[in-house]
Amino acid sequence: MAVTNNVSVSGEVSPLTEMHPEPTRFTKMHQKATATLLDLAARSLLSNEPAAIRALEELPRDLFDPLFIAAFLGGHKKILTAMVRVWPFCCLHVGTLSVRESYYEIVEAVIDGLQIPPVQSPSSWGPKLRILDLRQDLDCETTCLETGTTFPFCFQCCIYSRHSILKLEEARHSVRCLGIVNSESELQSAQEPMELLVDLSLSDTLRAKQFLSFLRSKVEQSVGSLHLCCRGLQIDKMSAHRSILQFLDLGCIDHLDVGEADLSEVTTLLARTIHLDSLSLYNIAFKSCQRKNFRTFLNRLGRLDNLQKLILSFFHLTDQLHKLLRVLPPQLDTLCLPLCGLSDRDVTVLSQSSQATHLRLLNLSDNQIFSEDYEPFQTLLEKVSGTLQHLEMSNCLITDSALSAVLPALSQCSHLRVLSFAFNPITMPVLTSLLQHLASLMELKHAVYPVPVHCYEQWNFRGTLDPRKLAEVQAQVKAMLQAVQRDDMTWTTCAE
């Protein structure tokens, strides 16, 4: 969490700042200068790789973070391996760091630095790394703050697996309390457990398969001291990856993404992934979604108490949504159902569900839910108006009359940030009315709108788009945004 010196949550300056403004300003300048000097020192070390590796044993702790970041971004594999071997903190997170080329080589170099089995060092300055987190796009620093306890403190510790550091330390504590172990030295002589946190994508590429084989060999080499904790798992094709699924500890997974699978295979997988926060299924065989298979799937889905995000695409749900909603937890905040064949009845059921008052993201694109009646969707908008932040309803056969009817309810979605309703047969006058009504939604920053029908020779054939007419529409939209003083709001079309 970022800390702002002497500034309250409301943005008001505290009396401390008013009384002593110069020291505060000096402190900030000093911190900035120190950070710059550390970066310069790190870059200087990287210019001489052999010398940098030799210097690691005596490197100041404050220099490890900037040196690791610079080495990772620069692809210095030998230095990365050497740094991990002597890492002086309990945890190491890749976080937002990324490389465009040779990603697997860089990650493998980092993993190669793990001391397997873990090396016990008599010096408090020796290697302390217990948790290596290779997941990306995380809002966390390279290392976590350490506490005064002997147990490694890290918010990303695995909490579910019986092989996790947390569970093993709890077992050791119980043994110590029962007095079974004769001395502290016997406790310390036991192998220190380690965790390797990853997000995995199971694809058919040769390099991905080589990386999985590399991971497997590292876990086997550790003789039980290294726990591979897979938090996010993407499976492009279920039938090609059954063997690796037997190797992974699926109880750790909180984000699961599965494509091209039979529903019975998915159900079997859900029996082992009971702590899911997010589930995404696409291209599930239509014939497998019938009767007994569907009932068994719903039974397993109903046991996912932590589920907050559900995405089903190319999934047959026509007149079946009520069965799905019945087993989903009420706190579900993301529901994406594109290309699911939803009917007016399904939208009515959704508007009456317990989840409707909690949803923050809703995607109903590519369902012809406006082909007969718009009232169910109007009711749904009224229910989600207090929480909805992201709405997608592209290619839903929204006509002028339907959009005009639901516009009052849409205008009440005061927390809406993103709106996408491309590829719907809308005319320019109704688009103008929509923009004027939504201009009052101050949190709305991005909208993807349909190209008005007059820009096409034939609306159903998108190849007949007239570029000149589209440019005129775009200019009008830009002028309207300026007229209502909403330059902070971006309106685009899928043609841009």
Side-chain angles (χ1 to χ4, degrees), residues 185-311:
S185 60
E186 291 186 39
L187 279 171
Q188 293 172 357
S189 65
Q191 287 186 353
E192 293 289 346
M194 303 177 70
E195 287 182 1
L196 176 58
L197 277 58
V198 294
D199 288 332
L200 295 179
S201 178
L202 307 187
S203 63
D204 289 329
T205 65
L206 176 60
R207 193 62 185 90
K209 291 180 179 178
Q210 290 174 339
F211 178 66
L212 290 172
S213 178
F214 169 80
L215 281 180
R216 189 166 193 164
S217 67
K218 282 293 180 181
V219 173
E220 292 172 349
Q221 178 188 346
S222 74
V223 196
S225 63
L226 178 63
H227 168 48
L228 179 62
C229 183
C230 178
R231 299 290 179 85
L233 180 63
Q234 179 180 349
I235 309 172
D236 293 340
K237 192 174 183 179
M238 181 75 81
S239 59
H241 303 289
R242 292 192 179 97
S243 61
I244 192 66
L245 292 177
Q246 297 301 317
F247 162 68
L248 294 176
D249 188 345
L250 300 184
C252 300
I253 297 174
D254 50 31
H255 290 74
L256 178 63
D257 193 338
V258 180
E260 291 190 40
D262 186 278
L263 189 60
S264 60
E265 293 178 308
V266 174
T267 301
T268 301
L269 198 57
L270 292 182
R272 300 173 59 194
T273 54
I274 58 175
H275 303 295
L276 290 183
D277 295 327
S278 171
L279 174 63
S280 177
L281 305 177
Y282 55 93
N283 287 345
I284 305 301
F286 175 81
K287 291 183 179 179
S288 70
C289 296
Q290 306 297 315
R291 299 178 182 177
K292 183 179 179 180
N293 275 353
F294 189 61
R295 290 196 299 270
T296 306
F297 166 72
L298 292 178
N299 181 266
R300 290 295 183 189
L301 195 63
R303 300 181 184 182
L304 304 180
D305 297 332
N306 299 330
L307 194 66
Q308 294 183 330
K309 179 179 181 179
L310 178 64
I311 301 175

Side-chain angles (χ1 to χ4, degrees), residues 183-482:
S183 67
E184 285 293 320
S185 60
E186 291 186 39
L187 279 171
Q188 293 172 357
S189 65
Q191 287 186 353
E192 293 289 346
M194 303 177 70
E195 287 182 1
L196 176 58
L197 277 58
V198 294
D199 288 332
L200 295 179
S201 178
L202 307 187
S203 63
D204 289 329
T205 65
L206 176 60
R207 193 62 185 90
K209 291 180 179 178
Q210 290 174 339
F211 178 66
L212 290 172
S213 178
F214 169 80
L215 281 180
R216 189 166 193 164
S217 67
K218 282 293 180 181
V219 173
E220 292 172 349
Q221 178 188 346
S222 74
V223 196
S225 63
L226 178 63
H227 168 48
L228 179 62
C229 183
C230 178
R231 299 290 179 85
L233 180 63
Q234 179 180 349
I235 309 172
D236 293 340
K237 192 174 183 179
M238 181 75 81
S239 59
H241 303 289
R242 292 192 179 97
S243 61
I244 192 66
L245 292 177
Q246 297 301 317
F247 162 68
L248 294 176
D249 188 345
L250 300 184
C252 300
I253 297 174
D254 50 31
H255 290 74
L256 178 63
D257 193 338
V258 180
E260 291 190 40
D262 186 278
L263 189 60
S264 60
E265 293 178 308
V266 174
T267 301
T268 301
L269 198 57
L270 292 182
R272 300 173 59 194
T273 54
I274 58 175
H275 303 295
L276 290 183
D277 295 327
S278 171
L279 174 63
S280 177
L281 305 177
Y282 55 93
N283 287 345
I284 305 301
F286 175 81
K287 291 183 179 179
S288 70
C289 296
Q290 306 297 315
R291 299 178 182 177
K292 183 179 179 180
N293 275 353
F294 189 61
R295 290 196 299 270
T296 306
F297 166 72
L298 292 178
N299 181 266
R300 290 295 183 189
L301 195 63
R303 300 181 184 182
L304 304 180
D305 297 332
N306 299 330
L307 194 66
Q308 294 183 330
K309 179 179 181 179
L310 178 64
I311 301 175
L312 302 179
S313 182
F314 284 100
F315 196 100
H316 179 65
L317 277 178
T318 306
D319 293 332
Q320 300 287 319
L321 188 57
H322 64 288
K323 298 177 182 178
L324 181 71
L325 294 173
R326 190 181 301 152
V327 301
L328 293 177
Q331 76 273 14
L332 191 81
D333 62 23
T334 298
L335 182 62
C336 300
L337 303 173
L339 293 160
C340 286
L342 298 182
S343 63
D344 292 333
R345 178 190 174 191
D346 292 321
V347 179
T348 299
V349 168
L350 180 56
S351 69
Q352 297 171 349
S353 67
S354 59
Q355 294 84 6
T357 56
H358 295 83
L359 291 175
R360 296 185 180 184
L361 191 154
L362 178 62
N363 184 351
L364 299 179
S365 295
D366 299 294
N367 292 290
Q368 297 185 4
I369 54 179
F370 287 88
S371 59
E372 298 178 6
D373 189 11
Y374 54 78
E375 290 185 3
F377 189 76
Q378 182 179 6
T379 304
L380 175 60
L381 285 178
E382 293 171 353
K383 289 291 184 68
V384 300
S385 61
T387 58
L388 193 64
Q389 298 177 0
H390 186 125
L391 174 62
E392 294 188 38
M393 48 182 184
S394 297
N395 196 28
C396 289
L397 290 181
I398 303 176
T399 61
D400 280 2
S401 58
L403 186 57
S404 298
V406 302
L407 188 53
L410 185 60
S411 302
Q412 296 302 312
C413 296
S414 56
H415 301 290
L416 195 63
R417 299 176 182 176
V418 177
L419 172 64
S420 178
F421 61 112
F423 306 123
N424 287 295
I426 304 299
T427 64
M428 191 62 195
V430 172
L431 178 61
T432 300
S433 176
L434 176 69
L435 188 150
Q436 292 172 341
H437 276 79
L438 298 187
S440 61
L441 300 181
M442 301 311 296
E443 294 188 29
L444 181 60
K445 300 299 182 182
H446 187 72
V448 181
Y449 64 93
V451 176
V453 291
H454 76 273
C455 295
Y456 297 94
E457 292 181 19
Q458 292 179 290
W459 184 81
N460 288 331
F461 297 93
R462 294 166 188 166
T464 63
L465 178 64
D466 186 329
R468 181 183 59 82
K469 292 181 179 179
L470 174 59
E472 292 176 353
V473 169
Q474 292 168 339
Q476 291 179 50
V477 169
K478 183 177 180 179
M480 285 188 289
L481 289 173
Q482 292 174 342

